[in-house]
């Protein structure tokens, strides 16, 4: 899939929003990709995950033993990536504020892992998930996401493969452009404001 085809999937799902949004990172933006909406159609989620799986080099895919994603946003895309790659899919969650494996999920020591997210902006959640996977004995050898919103600047400490990169500016709360500052902000993501 090329960028236009991926964005067409988001548009047809009503998942490409415009307005004033507070992102999970705390930064503000005039565009928001609601991945939960694009992934709610299983056929669409499978198409996007298959395309994302094709973006990962074979030399990495052959080493992988599991897919792990951060809850909440990464669960569906992580599950679909597991299906596309023929691997088990697990997720880390924050029951006490720090990511950890629960629900009987286990990694064997040294097991090679692909960490999968829906959207990466600053990489904070991704890096937290990677640390949690390492604490559970896994070794993240690559990361992937449907969307890279970092403008290509994020460093996750491992090779990173997004399906698309979007150059959508984001702003600190104290550095909003006037047109964004004049519009009330909404927080559509899964983290509490």
């Amino acid at each position: 899939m090329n960028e236009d085809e991926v964005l067409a999937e988001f548009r047809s799902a009503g998942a490409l929003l415009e307005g004033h949004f507070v992102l999970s990172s705390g930064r503000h933006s005039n565009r928001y990709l609601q991945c939960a909406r694009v992934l709610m159609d299983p056929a669409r989620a499978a198409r996007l995950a298959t395309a994302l799986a094709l973006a990962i080099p074979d030399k990495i895919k052959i080493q992988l033993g599991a897919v792990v994603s951060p809850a909440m946003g990464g669960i569906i895309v992580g599950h679909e990536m597991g299906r596309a790659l023929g691997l088990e899919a697990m997720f880390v969650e924050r029951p006490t504020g720090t990511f950890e494996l629960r629900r009987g999920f286990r990694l064997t020591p040294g097991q090679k892992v692909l960490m999968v997210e829906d959207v990466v902006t600053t990489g904070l959640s991704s890096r937290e998930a990677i640390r949690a996977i390492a604490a559970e004995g896994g070794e993240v050898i690559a990361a992937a996401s449907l969307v890279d919103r970092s403008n290509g600047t994020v460093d996750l400490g491992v090779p990173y493969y997004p399906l698309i990169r979007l150059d959508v500016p984001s702003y600190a709360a104290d550095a909003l452009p006037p047109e964004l500052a004049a519009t009330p902000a909404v927080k559509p993501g899964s983290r509490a404001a």
Side-chain angles (χ1 to χ4, degrees), residues 108-153:
T108 59
Q111 186 172 12
K112 308 288 192 248
V113 173
L114 174 69
M115 192 286 303
V116 179
E117 277 267 37
D118 53 355
V119 178
V120 172
T121 301
T122 65
L124 177 63
S125 290
S126 297
R127 287 187 297 274
E128 288 176 10
I130 290 168
R131 282 193 299 275
I133 293 163
E136 296 287 344
E139 179 189 349
V140 175
I141 61 169
S145 71
L146 292 178
V147 181
D148 175 5
R149 275 191 56 126
S150 77
N151 300 320
T153 63

Side-chain angles (χ1 to χ4, degrees), residues 85-97:
L85 295 169
L87 299 170
E88 289 185 335
M90 299 172 242
F91 56 89
V92 291
E93 56 190 310
R94 294 183 176 110
T96 61

Side-chain angles (χ1 to χ4, degrees), residues 4-16:
D4 290 336
E5 292 168 326
V6 173
L7 288 176
E9 295 280 8
F10 276 84
R11 283 188 186 98
S12 68
L16 181 57

Side-chain angles (χ1 to χ4, degrees), residues 6 11 13 22 26 29 41-42 50-51 78 83-84 89 91 96 102 124 128-129 147 150-151 154 156 161 171 185:
V6 173
R11 283 188 186 98
V22 180
S29 180
D41 175 346
T50 298
R83 183 192 324 258
F91 56 89
T96 61
R102 299 182 67 209
L124 177 63
E128 288 176 10
V147 181
S150 77
N151 300 320
V154 73
L156 301 179
Y161 303 96
Y171 309 93

Side-chain angles (χ1 to χ4, degrees), residues 10 13-15 32-42 44-45 72-74 76-77 118-119 146 188-190:
F10 276 84
Y32 185 82
L33 293 170
Q34 182 55 275
C35 284
R37 285 200 48 88
V38 80
L39 295 170
M40 71 183 193
D41 175 346
R44 180 178 285 124
M72 278 295 298
I76 296 172
V77 69
D118 53 355
V119 178
L146 292 178
S190 61

Side-chain angles (χ1 to χ4, degrees), residues 95-111:
T96 61
T98 304
F99 277 134
E100 61 185 81
L101 284 177
R102 299 182 67 209
R103 303 172 194 270
F105 293 147
R106 298 282 180 266
L107 294 168
T108 59
Q111 186 172 12

